[in-house]
Amino acid sequence: TNTGNDFLDTSILGSLGGVVWADADADGVRDAGEAGIANATVVVKGVAGNVIATLTTDANGAYQQANLPAGAYRVEVQPASLPAGSLQTGDPDSSTDHQTLASVVSGQHTGLLDFGYASPASIGDTVWHDLNANGIQEAGEPGIANVMVKLLSSSQTVLATTTTDANGHYQFGGLLPGSY
């Protein structure tokens, strides 16, 4: 007949997880058919920066850490563990800095901590002297060196500039897939 003996079970733990995926269209949204990135390293840290767990994504790009006390955590994808040249397109907090803060609630799973990455693209070609003015580079039509070439966004903002080499070639690398 004793009352008032309420207990709070603080041992009920939570979990967090998500997916690291290959963002084929570089839109920052995981679309149907976009595969996960296997073997990516994800580090879970406490807010003080202490490492709680180091995880490796599975064949589907998924990762999960169980048995976490309620609280705040930092989830970080290690860029060196991704395919060479990967460019981040998606991040749970939209900052594209390979990390996000996550809150774990006792007895619940904090999911959708997903990170997207695209393979880099490049644009390049040749500036040449079109001797017969037909718009086609033909044998004997030389490249032109030291011509400034500008890379523009689809909204006409200059993103980068370069100069053609001795053979008239130029290239812009490390680009997100898209329209330029």
Side-chain angles (χ1 to χ4, degrees):
T1 64
N2 233 347
T3 61
N5 295 322
D6 296 329
F7 294 93
L8 173 62
D9 186 355
T10 59
S11 66
I12 297 176
L13 303 173
S15 63
L16 60 75
V19 175
V20 178
W21 90 95
D23 191 1
D25 59 3
D27 67 352
V29 175
R30 187 165 189 212
D31 302 311
E34 290 182 329
I37 298 174
N39 300 314
T41 302
V42 179
V43 177
V44 179
K45 294 182 177 180
V47 290
N50 53 315
V51 175
I52 306 296
T54 300
L55 311 170
T56 301
T57 58
D58 67 16
N60 298 313
Y63 68 92
Q64 182 171 328
Q65 178 61 44
N67 301 318
L68 292 171
Y73 296 89
R74 179 172 303 283
V75 179
E76 300 177 359
V77 175
Q78 302 299 298
S81 69
L82 299 168
S86 292
L87 302 169
Q88 190 174 14
T89 59
D91 191 312
D93 61 12
S94 301
S95 62
T96 59
D97 59 357
H98 310 285
Q99 61 184 334
T100 193
L101 291 176
S103 293
V104 171
V105 176
S106 291
Q108 295 184 19
H109 176 72
T110 301
L112 300 176
L113 301 173
D114 301 344
F115 296 86
Y117 293 89
S119 296
S122 64
I123 295 174
D125 208 337
T126 306
V127 176
W128 81 97
H129 187 81
D130 191 4
L131 297 173
N132 61 4
N134 70 351
I136 300 170
Q137 185 177 13
E138 299 167 322
E141 294 182 329
I144 304 172
N146 299 316
V147 174
M148 182 192 313
V149 180
K150 296 179 181 181
L151 177 67
L152 305 177
S153 69
S154 58
S155 64
Q156 304 302 306
T157 301
V158 176
L159 300 175
T161 60
T162 193
T163 305
T164 58
D165 67 13
N167 298 312
H169 301 294
Y170 67 92
Q171 184 165 343
F172 298 97
L175 304 173
L176 286 174
S179 298
Y180 295 91

